[in-house]
Amino acid sequence: MYNNKGRYALMALFVFAAAACLFYDQIQLAALAGLFFAFVLWSHFKHSSVVLASKYFQKGDHESATRLLSEVPNPDRLARNRRGYYEFMKANIALKREEYDTAERHFQIASRFPLGGKNDKAFVMIHLANLALRKKDGERSRAYIARAKEMASTPKAQEIINKIEIEANRL
């Protein structure tokens, strides 16, 4: 749960520790430091700054969350459980900025990855249905609503789905 600079500093520390252990002929400690270095490097590519960005996102600090999400070197390399959250946060930030095409693309990608639970997936489908309504595409909106109905488990989600369904049927 570090940003890029923190991980780079930690990797440098482990390399320095491994070198010092090799200098003093402590092979096992050097191997342990190398293992820690490899773990931090692995977590850099598989988890990156997504968890830290989600903390800022939940607090409503979208600028910090955007900055941390931009540190992800390649989203395709993220672990499946991190990629869904990455795309979900990127989509919501784009939605707040009224960049609807970008938000739709990120929500569509997020729908293919695991999120917290079925209700979270239902909200992704609700957002996609709402964006389809914005484009006056009633057929796609109804398809997203049908998927959201299968996943929704809270009364709030059901209420939103019903409102979007009424609007979609008007088209």
Side-chain angles (χ1 to χ4, degrees):
M1 186 167 43
Y2 297 103
N3 63 3
N4 279 354
K5 288 180 184 177
R7 274 192 301 280
Y8 294 149
L10 202 54
M11 285 190 276
L13 178 71
F14 288 135
V15 167
F16 178 75
C21 289
L22 285 174
F23 180 76
Y24 289 110
D25 202 26
Q26 297 293 321
I27 306 299
Q28 291 156 338
L29 289 176
L32 187 62
L35 185 65
F36 288 151
F37 170 82
F39 176 74
V40 173
L41 183 65
W42 172 82
S43 80
H44 173 67
F45 289 111
K46 288 296 183 180
H47 299 285
S48 198
S49 302
V50 175
V51 174
L52 192 57
S54 70
K55 289 187 176 195
Y56 284 108
F57 181 79
Q58 288 173 352
K59 290 179 184 175
D61 187 359
H62 297 297
E63 294 304 316
S64 296
T66 302
R67 181 179 44 79
L68 288 167
L69 289 174
S70 69
E71 289 182 356
V72 174
N74 185 358
D76 293 331
R77 289 187 186 157
L78 287 173
R80 286 186 55 80
N81 59 346
R82 295 288 182 240
R83 180 74 189 269
Y85 287 114
Y86 171 84
E87 297 296 344
F88 184 75
M89 286 185 288
K90 291 285 273 189
N92 276 306
I93 291 168
L95 203 58
K96 295 246 188 260
R97 294 179 178 166
E98 298 180 1
E99 298 168 358
Y100 300 117
D101 291 332
T102 306
E104 183 176 13
R105 183 172 47 85
H106 285 295
F107 277 128
Q108 286 175 348
I109 295 171
S111 71
R112 290 179 269 182
F113 290 97
L115 288 171
K118 280 190 167 187
N119 204 49
D120 292 336
K121 280 270 203 187
F123 276 106
V124 168
M125 293 298 150
I126 288 169
H127 282 297
L128 284 169
N130 199 14
L131 288 167
L133 270 180
R134 188 176 289 282
K135 290 181 174 182
K136 307 275 190 235
D137 190 352
E139 185 177 326
R140 272 188 26 194
S141 181
R142 284 188 284 278
Y144 288 132
I145 289 169
R147 295 240 0 246
K149 278 184 177 181
E150 296 170 4
M151 299 175 203
S153 61
T154 62
K156 180 181 178 183
Q158 293 290 346
E159 180 183 336
I160 295 170
I161 290 170
N162 291 335
K163 287 180 182 178
I164 293 174
E165 190 171 30
I166 290 169
E167 289 297 320
N169 290 333
R170 288 184 188 167
L171 293 179

